[in-house]
Amino acid sequence: MPSVHGERPAAGTEAEAAALLGWLTDPDAPRLCLVTGAPRRGKSALLSWLAAHGTRSGHRSGHRSGTRRRRPARALVPLAGQSALGTAWTIADRLGVVARTPAELVQVLATTEVRRATLLLPDLHAAAEPEEIAELLGEIAALGRIRLAVETCTGTPSYVLLAAHRATVVDLDGDLDGGTDEAAAADERREPYEARHTVDLADPAVVCAADPLRVTTAYATGPGDDHGGLRPAWLRAGQSLCRDQDTADRALVLLAALGDGADPRLRPALRELAAGAPWRVRWTRVKGDLTPPWPGPVTALGTAGDHLLVAGPTDAVRILDAADATPAGEPFTSPTGRVKTLAPAPDGTVLLLDERGRLHTVRGPGPRPPYLERLTTAVAATLARHPGTALAAIGGSVVVGDRLGSVHAFGLTGVHQAALHSGRVTAVTAVETPTPFLCSGGLDGTVRRWIPGQDPLPEPIAERPAPVVALHAAETTGGASLAIAWADGLVELHHLDTGERLSFRPGPPVRAVALTPDGGVVVGMDESLIRLDEAPPKED
């Protein structure tokens, strides 16, 4: 009988359990393991046991120090009823990355340093798209970076696809009288995909309350009906929607992904459903929107008073009204082409960092003080020799991060610098308060606060197992605040005076964030731009 804590496998599967553990610990073993056997042989129960095995006591190094040795995480990803899209979203979430499609997941895993993990994937035979999922799992295994143990039935098309890859096979049909009655009973209790009832895909209340993986399968594999706009919104934000959350939070994410061509009844219905969430969606601009138009993919954001500056893959930087995202002036042309980071200066000048890490200047409408002109010229000359990776500006200072983890504050009286990160600095922001300060984020997953001329604070103000993508700090009507975008798709708002935090996951990869003067959080992505406001305090 399987132990509650995963200490013993089911009776009759001890040899197969030992084989799985041997595969896990053999550095030369294939990344793919196929757990096969006839129906009701206990394959799923064996993978469930493996997911729990060793989690209570952990593995020790065996040395006198008694320190624990971290082993790769084991993530159980049930495949019954799953589509390839839902499987990709679930795997991405387990691995701490963001991917909109199965192909994008493979690309992200091939090009991103992800934490070591073993994926345990039962019930491939009961998936909605077993062959498509098998192709995805085969591609992930071929990368050689993640182990996958997949339950599959011999002779099925999905088995044939996986068996074409180098794989270890653990076959539970080796002893047909092995006594796996309890494991078989556990397998029999699984509800087959075909027996699951469907949901009303055009009803926002039903969709937000239903099993999100079932909704994903229905939208991904069913007819191409848009269901009033719910389907494209769901497919845009699906990785966030499939996370474990309540109806209000799911409705908020879906509302933020809704395009302006959706059924006009959906937006108020979703607002009502999202009333208990900590955010309110002020406006959204989604690819394809016409009134007002979507400004295009976002690579960088900035604010200048009540205006929002939006940079993308082209050389145009658009100016929007931060209150409603309507155009607020003619776009200006970046001399750099694609803008990596932009930093509006208090005098109206906009500083731009290009993809090569070089500084460029777009002059504002008024004359620029000569001392600021000399400062930016000097910084530009420095970055031509030593490229920057992040940029910010306040008052008489230009702030630059570099690939070695240091932050440099160039001012009129000299340069202050500090080694704040392990690895590349990915974002910096500066705040013009009575005591100006900087915040920086890095590839190391930390956000640090620093007052130039003083020693940095010893502890980060935020730290997560994901790189920082973007930062923006500002003195808003609610006090000094900091918006953080992380590489795993999370956006956070930190109230620096109180320590209060709010978070939001829009679903797609986040490219940039900005804070408006009245405390709104603007989130820029490849196919959408949204503004969130904090929900008002609840009345007693």
Side-chain angles (χ1 to χ4, degrees), residues 116-141:
R116 294 188 304 154
T118 298
L119 301 177
L120 309 175
L121 302 115
D123 299 327
L124 177 59
H125 58 280
E129 296 182 312
E131 289 82 12
E132 292 84 350
I133 294 173
E135 291 179 355
L136 170 63
L137 300 181
E139 290 186 62
I140 294 174

Side-chain angles (χ1 to χ4, degrees), residues 59-260:
H59 295 280
R60 294 187 179 273
S61 65
H63 298 291
R64 292 179 182 178
S65 63
T67 56
R68 293 182 185 273
R69 182 180 62 198
R70 293 183 62 186
R71 65 166 172 79
R74 297 176 198 165
L76 191 66
V77 182
L79 297 178
Q82 281 266 40
S83 64
L85 183 59
T87 301
W89 286 341
T90 305
I91 291 175
D93 205 53
R94 298 290 194 275
L95 296 178
V97 298
V98 187
R100 290 163 292 188
T101 65
E104 186 169 286
L105 173 61
V106 175
Q107 180 185 18
V108 168
L109 295 180
T111 57
T112 304
E113 188 66 34
V114 297
R115 56 181 178 265
R116 294 188 304 154
T118 298
L119 301 177
L120 309 175
L121 302 115
D123 299 327
L124 177 59
H125 58 280
E129 296 182 312
E131 289 82 12
E132 292 84 350
I133 294 173
E135 291 179 355
L136 170 63
L137 300 181
E139 290 186 62
I140 294 174
L143 297 175
R145 306 173 74 176
I146 296 167
R147 290 181 185 260
L148 301 93
V150 186
E151 176 193 354
T152 179
C153 292
T154 309
T156 60
S158 55
Y159 173 84
V160 173
L161 287 167
L162 287 172
H165 298 269
R166 180 170 175 259
T168 294
V169 177
V170 175
D171 188 355
L172 272 76
D173 283 340
D175 177 9
L176 293 180
D177 297 318
T180 59
D181 292 343
E182 294 191 31
D187 277 359
E188 280 188 315
R189 287 194 294 268
R190 294 197 313 275
E191 183 183 12
Y193 170 68
E194 293 77 39
R196 295 170 183 252
H197 62 275
T198 58
V199 300
D200 185 349
L201 299 175
D203 186 330
V206 172
V207 165
C208 290
D211 177 351
L213 294 176
R214 185 184 306 169
V215 173
T216 297
T217 297
Y219 280 145
T221 64
D225 188 341
D226 280 353
H227 299 285
L230 282 177
R231 180 178 180 271
W234 186 282
L235 296 181
R236 182 176 293 116
Q239 186 173 334
S240 176
L241 292 164
C242 288
R243 293 174 63 86
D244 186 19
Q245 59 196 305
D246 61 28
T247 296
D249 291 330
R250 190 166 285 126
L252 178 78
V253 174
L254 198 54
L255 176 61
L258 204 63
D260 70 357

Side-chain angles (χ1 to χ4, degrees), residues 445-463:
T446 66
V447 178
R448 296 186 177 274
R449 183 172 178 170
W450 174 46
I451 298 174
Q454 299 184 14
D455 291 335
L457 295 176
E459 298 296 327
I461 59 175
E463 184 173 14

Side-chain angles (χ1 to χ4, degrees), residues 258-261 267 284-294:
L258 204 63
D260 70 357
R267 207 171 295 275
T284 66
R285 298 294 173 262
V286 174
K287 184 178 181 180
D289 282 1
L290 299 175
T291 52
W294 172 59

Side-chain angles (χ1 to χ4, degrees), residues 236 256-257 284-287 294-298 506 508 523-530:
R236 182 176 293 116
T284 66
R285 298 294 173 262
V286 174
K287 184 178 181 180
W294 172 59
V298 177
V523 182
M525 293 161 282
D526 292 338
E527 296 187 353
S528 58
L529 180 70
I530 64 176

